[in-house]
Amino acid sequence: MSRAHRLRQTIRQRLEAQIRQLEAELAHFDAWSIAQLGFGHSLVDDASVAFDQATQLTLRQKTEQRLRQLRQALERLEAGVYGVCEGCGTAINPERLLARLDARLCVSCQRLQERSPLGRLATMQAPA
Ligand SMILES: [Zn+2]
């Protein structure tokens, strides 16, 4: 088995494992929301429940977004375009991919993108 093939296998397994885990988390959020319905609460409880629900909703949205990104990464893997930088078209470093499975940019392009907001230009330093 070639190194590239092995890497692909590893990444596919990790992507699938993370997707399964996030799907389980989403199911947990839904179960939690249902459990909150139909209970009688005092006013204090209602306030804290409302707060909890807002927090849970934010978490749920983040989990959904992450799940979408991982599914897209898996689609790119299936389509054979995974691991190619969308900024410059070069192959993304395998170590970076393993650390961040849904990376779409190589380190250089990622740095450029992070620097681009106008507010940061004034303090921008030349790379050492
Ligand atoms: Zn790039």
Side-chain angles (χ1 to χ4, degrees), residues 78-128:
E78 302 295 342
V81 294
Y82 178 84
V84 177
C85 174
E86 291 180 5
C88 65
T90 61
I92 300 172
N93 185 322
E95 281 171 22
R96 172 167 165 76
L97 288 172
L98 288 170
R100 205 197 144 123
L101 293 172
D102 60 343
R104 305 178 78 134
L105 293 171
C106 71
V107 176
S108 309
C109 289
Q110 183 76 46
R111 281 197 191 133
L112 280 176
Q113 199 187 53
E114 282 167 7
R115 261 183 216 158
S116 63
L118 288 174
R120 300 189 58 177
L121 284 179
T123 54
M124 199 177 101
Q125 302 284 321

Side-chain angles (χ1 to χ4, degrees), residues 25-117:
E25 280 178 29
L26 280 182
H28 178 80
F29 280 130
D30 291 342
W32 187 90
S33 304
I34 290 164
Q36 296 302 310
L37 297 172
F39 279 90
H41 293 289
S42 71
L43 282 176
V44 173
D45 281 348
D46 279 348
S48 72
V49 164
F51 177 78
D52 280 354
Q53 279 173 341
T55 311
Q56 292 281 328
L57 190 65
T58 309
L59 278 175
R60 194 187 194 286
Q61 282 167 346
K62 279 190 179 149
T63 307
E64 271 180 342
Q65 191 189 17
R66 180 99 190 103
L67 187 57
R68 240 190 335 264
Q69 286 167 343
L70 289 171
R71 281 186 177 143
Q72 283 168 357
L74 192 60
E75 278 169 22
R76 291 200 298 277
L77 193 72
E78 302 295 342
V81 294
Y82 178 84
V84 177
C85 174
E86 291 180 5
C88 65
T90 61
I92 300 172
N93 185 322
E95 281 171 22
R96 172 167 165 76
L97 288 172
L98 288 170
R100 205 197 144 123
L101 293 172
D102 60 343
R104 305 178 78 134
L105 293 171
C106 71
V107 176
S108 309
C109 289
Q110 183 76 46
R111 281 197 191 133
L112 280 176
Q113 199 187 53
E114 282 167 7
R115 261 183 216 158
S116 63

